[in-house]
Amino acid sequence: MSRIGRKPIPIEKGVKVQIADGNLKVAGSKGELSARIPASIAVSIKDDLIVLSRSSDTKPERALHGTWRALINNMVRGVAQGFVRKLEIVGVGYKAEIKGKKIQFALGYSHPILFEPPAGIKIEIPLPTNIVVSGIDKQLVGQVAAKIRSFRPPEPYKGKGVKYEGEYIRRKAGKAAATAGTKVG
C-alpha cells in the first residue's frame, strides 16, 4: 500500500464532506471545492476521517492513490484555513499596486504589467514591494504566485526581480571579480 495513500485524512471542525456518484464535495467556512474521483479509487468517511483505498495494485493505481489522498487533504485544509503564498519585489523602482480589480506592476520594463487574478484568488499588497496571494485552492494559489514571479524572475547578479518570501537567490560574481587577478597591458 501507498504510505501516503493509506493515511486517513482528519476532517476539521466546520468542514462538511459529501461523496456522491464519484464526486467529492468539501465545504467549509472559507468556501467550497469539488472534484471528480477516479473510478479506481474508493473514498469513504469513518468517524471524522476520510479513508481512501484502491481496487488493484497496478503501478498507475498506486500513484493515483497517494496523489488523490494529497489532493483531498489539500481540499479539506483549504476550505478550513486557506493557503497563502508571499512574494517580495526587489529592485530600485520596482513596485506593485492595486488598480481596481487588476494589479499593476512596475518591474523595469518600458511599460507597466497589468494582471487580473482569477476568481477565487485574493491578492493583497501591504507594501508596494510585498504581495500576498491567498485562496482555498492550493494549486491555483501556487499557479498565480508562479505567474506573478514569471513577470521578472530574480536575476543572479543583483537579485533584482520578483521572488518568493524566504527564497535564496544564488549570486554570481560580476565581471570585476573575474578579471581581478589578471594583468592588463
Side-chain angles (χ1 to χ4, degrees):
M1 275 224 133
S2 165
R3 276 185 248 159
I4 294 172
R6 70 175 167 222
K7 287 175 66 179
I9 303 165
I11 300 173
E12 297 185 23
K13 286 195 182 342
V15 175
K16 293 183 182 81
V17 180
Q18 296 175 334
I19 304 165
D21 300 328
N23 286 326
L24 178 77
K25 214 179 231 185
V26 182
S29 61
K30 299 251 182 202
E32 184 177 304
L33 293 171
S34 62
R36 180 112 180 110
I37 306 295
S40 61
I41 302 296
V43 180
S44 60
I45 300 171
K46 298 174 186 163
D47 304 327
D48 285 341
L49 295 172
I50 301 172
V51 180
L52 278 77
S53 58
R54 58 180 184 255
S55 58
S56 73
D57 215 26
T58 62
K59 191 169 184 171
E61 288 186 14
R62 287 194 318 253
L64 278 177
H65 191 203
T67 300
W68 274 96
R69 191 263 177 212
L71 292 173
I72 294 170
N73 186 47
N74 287 341
M75 290 170 67
V76 171
R77 282 187 50 214
V79 297
Q81 302 162 4
F83 292 98
V84 175
R85 277 313 293 248
K86 295 180 180 179
L87 298 143
E88 297 172 350
I89 301 174
V90 178
V92 176
Y94 289 15
K95 63 181 180 173
E97 57 186 330
I98 297 175
K99 296 273 186 166
K101 290 185 176 183
K102 296 183 179 183
I103 313 299
Q104 180 176 319
F105 294 94
L107 298 173
Y109 296 114
S110 61
H111 58 283
I113 298 170
L114 287 174
F115 176 72
E116 186 169 356
I121 293 295
K122 182 180 175 192
I123 296 183
E124 299 170 13
I125 302 177
L127 295 171
T129 57
N130 289 356
I131 303 164
V132 179
V133 180
S134 58
I136 60 172
D137 187 348
K138 185 175 186 177
Q139 292 171 315
L140 191 57
V141 168
Q143 185 72 37
V144 169
K147 178 72 175 171
I148 291 172
R149 185 182 183 275
S150 75
F151 294 150
R152 176 71 85 168
E155 53 95 16
Y157 296 101
K158 292 185 180 177
K160 293 169 32 173
V162 181
K163 65 180 188 111
Y164 296 115
E165 185 181 64
E167 179 182 5
Y168 174 73
I169 307 302
R170 200 162 157 209
R171 294 286 175 78
K172 289 184 178 180
K175 187 174 162 185
T179 60
T182 60
K183 223 179 189 184
V184 179

